[in-house]
Amino acid sequence: MSVYHQSKSRVIQIIFVVIFAIITGQLVNLQIFSSKYRIMADNNAIYRKVIYPDRGIIFDRKQRAILENTIMYDLMVIPSDAKATDKIELCKLLNIDTAEYRKRIVTAIIKNTSVKSSVFEPLLSPELYAKLNENIYKFPGFILQERSIRNYPYNTAAAILGYLGEVDTAFLRKYRGEGYEMGDYTGLNGLERTYEKVLMGQRGIKRFIRDNRGRLQGSFEKGAFDTTAIAGRNLYTSIDIEVQQLAEKLLQNKIGSAVAINPKTGSVIAMATSPSYNPNSLIGSSRRRNFGKFLLDTARPLLNRAIKGQYPPGSTFKPLGGLVALDEGLITPTYGFNCFGAYVNCGKPVRCTHAGGGHASDLRRAIAYSCNSYFVHVFRMAVDNPAYANPQQGYLKWKEYMNTFGLGVPLGIDLPGEAKASIPDTSRYNKDFGGFARWKSCNILTLGIGQDRMTATPLQLANLMCIIANRGYYYTPHIVDSIENETIDDTAYLAKYRLKHEVTHVADSTYKIIQDGMEDVTIYGTASFLKVPGHKYCAKTGTAQNPHGKNHAVFTAFAPKDNPTIAISVVVENSGYGGTWAGPVATLLMEKYLNDTLTTASAKRAEEFSTIDLIPAAIKKWYYRKDSIRAVKEREKEKEMEQRHDIETDTTNNIKTTFDPEAEPNRKSDDDKRENNMIKQTPMLNNTNDKKKKKDSTLP
């Protein structure tokens, strides 16, 4: 044989050897190393059923369950096993069409493959569960999966407790490795989110052997590989559910919030936001519809205004302004200021509410009557303090006090989404006025009365009352006091809520002067008409200017004066005077907490106050438009149902029809566009300061 042919033969042999080696290697890999086909085989032979545990229960301070569990069912599907199911019958029971059926099957395959179970219809109503349970034999590939869901026996505290939602692919990517799977539910807001790892418990798994037709034949390996579900642990909170219910009742037909804290511990007694919603409306089959409705509502019921609403504190800031001036040695308790009804030392007058002068003869009287002139002047003294090189340095020192007292910084409450609000930095004013040296105290005058670019959350204002009540210290506000079977990790997490924060070196005697002035507010000052039966208390009224409508009513207080156990702040948006509209809410809540009941007269006053409607006209107009849109939709739906009935009748009589079942989604889309356009045309309420300069006067 020639050399040429020998070489050619060798090349062919090498090729065959390489191919054989590749095939052999792949066989070895598939048989020994790769688990892909073993898993597929196991999935065909073994059915894996997830056992969802009960989530932990949440209790109030008196051990009443304010969030517990109830049983509902999901309809699950394994797409590869559902080919022989009676689609028409199932669609009829679920009130969907075949196009929706196909869409859900495709979604299940994309999310969780065709051999794993996925949620087809979540959280069935009792009626639908009963119908499906009777007919489940007609639907191979479909299983009824028991699930423990949340129940809110008091129908309250939605913003505190939060809600659950099904995990999506983005969530699974973010929390990869934490054991979540498609079909799981997780806390999305409130305590459900913050304490998810405590509440969720641990899923259990049961495995069943299947025959070649997919029918369950019994437990796999006698349950040797099954795991038991472990229930989540309980939370014990400081919430007083009766005070919480009263707070939400008093804020009915209003937009605003109320926060009550025990200053001795930092434990939140109540946190109400309005408008709110019944938390039971976000469970079960109605969740999707209601959640969409809440998102569209311009009054924003999903917004927790207690920790996210940002308002100018108005005159409720004045006690802190006086405290800073005393601590800096700028004034004494007897310091007076010649006020004739307006502050004119910067040219443009800042007017007081009370006509004439005589309300600024000393610090206590200025607090009691909420004298604008006095506190504007005191603020200027702090900024222009000769101890600092220039007004900008004086302002930075003043800002340091504000941050130390919890304004302009997040406090760290155990709820997600807390806003820090705003104590503006010098850079903000440098930008406003064109440079570092081009502004002075007269340019930012109304900061001294809680206006200008200053904002605070109701939580921050309540915490400020805790500091004044405690004469210089506070505990980080929190809702959960303890966790069932507390672990080392739990203790490490809760430690920050058990740490006492000493605010400043301010003397007790200085705090006492401020407390006395705030008590005078309730004796002869701007809140003298508001009482807490059986208790002396300290308070400050405020009326915060709002560039988007009527002023916001603000009220802060603590009680009893000598041994405070409750500190509170209330904001009622677009309502007017703080003493008139926020004060009654605060005093009734303090009475309920301190006395554990309301007097007959107070109960009557609470009923009357809860019926007063202070919702702004713009919001009401939106509701009217929304109701009109809904009425149009209902009429169109009735008309469409009649059309469908006619078509079905025609089909029965073998009459051809051109009805297009895809028209329904298109029509809904057009309606959504019309509704969104209407929403865009409606003025939105904004709780924060406008970028433009505020007016230079405010009301106490």
Side-chain angles (χ1 to χ4, degrees), residues 131-421:
K131 292 177 182 177
L132 285 169
N133 195 37
E134 290 177 1
N135 295 277
I136 198 68
Y137 68 92
K138 299 179 182 178
F139 315 125
F142 287 86
I143 310 106
L144 290 168
Q145 171 78 59
E146 182 181 291
R147 183 188 294 275
S148 174
I149 68 159
R150 299 310 233 169
N151 179 51
Y152 306 80
Y154 291 92
N155 300 329
T156 192
I160 297 173
L161 300 172
Y163 50 82
L164 302 178
E166 187 178 353
V167 301
D168 56 16
T169 52
F171 183 94
L172 292 175
R173 282 196 300 271
K174 184 176 181 180
Y175 296 99
R176 185 181 291 111
E178 294 194 12
Y180 290 99
E181 297 179 358
M182 292 303 300
D184 286 352
Y185 279 67
T186 185
L188 296 180
N189 201 6
L191 297 180
E192 294 275 29
R193 174 71 259 163
T194 304
Y195 295 94
E196 164 69 10
K197 290 185 179 179
V198 174
L199 293 167
M200 68 181 290
Q202 183 175 318
R203 292 187 308 274
I205 303 294
K206 283 190 176 182
R207 293 171 173 82
F208 298 90
I209 194 71
R210 297 196 288 192
D211 63 15
N212 60 349
R213 295 187 179 181
R215 295 173 298 193
L216 299 183
Q217 298 298 307
S219 179
F220 175 68
E221 295 290 344
K222 297 182 179 180
F225 298 98
D226 293 350
T227 57
T228 304
I230 301 174
R233 291 180 290 146
N234 301 331
L235 301 180
Y236 299 94
T237 75
S238 54
I239 296 297
D240 187 313
I241 199 62
E242 291 182 357
V243 178
Q244 178 72 26
Q245 286 179 312
L246 178 61
E248 294 190 12
K249 178 179 180 178
L250 293 170
L251 289 173
Q252 283 179 171
N253 305 308
K254 302 162 189 71
I255 296 179
S257 63
V259 179
I261 303 174
N262 183 341
K264 295 183 181 298
T265 62
S267 301
V268 174
I269 299 164
M271 178 183 286
T273 181
S274 181
S276 188
Y277 60 93
N278 183 339
N280 283 302
S281 63
L282 289 186
I283 63 174
S285 56
S286 61
R287 181 188 185 278
R288 191 178 303 171
R289 179 181 69 253
N290 289 329
F291 193 79
K293 180 177 72 174
F294 295 152
L295 283 176
L296 288 173
D297 193 333
T298 56
R300 305 177 75 185
L302 295 174
L303 175 70
N304 185 353
R305 288 172 165 82
I307 63 172
K308 296 183 181 180
Q310 301 174 51
Y311 309 90
S315 295
T316 61
F317 167 77
K318 291 173 182 175
L320 180 54
L323 193 69
V324 171
L326 286 170
D327 189 52
E328 286 284 282
L330 301 171
I331 64 172
T332 65
T334 59
Y335 177 81
F337 181 75
N338 291 325
C339 171
F340 301 98
Y343 186 81
V344 295
N345 292 14
C346 285
K348 199 172 182 180
V350 177
R351 302 190 182 281
C352 294
T353 302
H354 301 284
H359 300 128
S361 56
D362 58 48
L363 177 57
R364 283 181 61 170
R365 192 170 180 83
I367 292 175
Y369 284 110
S370 198
C371 179
N372 284 347
S373 296
Y374 189 97
F375 289 99
V376 163
H377 186 67
V378 163
F379 171 72
R380 287 196 65 205
M381 293 172 72
V383 174
D384 297 335
N385 189 342
Y388 306 106
N390 51 50
Q392 290 73 28
Q393 292 299 316
Y395 175 80
L396 286 174
K397 180 62 178 178
W398 178 87
K399 181 179 183 294
E400 182 184 320
Y401 271 101
M402 299 303 104
N403 295 156
T404 302
F405 278 86
L407 300 181
V409 293
L411 294 172
I413 190 171
D414 50 348
L415 288 176
E418 180 195 357
K420 69 176 184 177

Side-chain angles (χ1 to χ4, degrees), residues 10 63 119 172 194 204 325 407-408 410 654 675:
R10 229 178 250 111
Q63 303 295 301
V119 177
L172 292 175
T194 304
L407 300 181
N654 295 321
E675 183 169 338

Side-chain angles (χ1 to χ4, degrees), residues 42-54:
D42 287 346
N43 286 333
N44 287 330
I46 301 170
Y47 171 63
R48 178 177 174 274
K49 182 179 181 180
V50 177
I51 308 299
Y52 291 101
D54 286 343

Side-chain angles (χ1 to χ4, degrees), residues 525-541:
T526 54
S528 58
F529 60 96
L530 295 167
K531 304 298 180 184
V532 178
H535 302 280
K536 293 180 181 180
Y537 76 103
C538 301
K540 187 67 195 76
T541 59

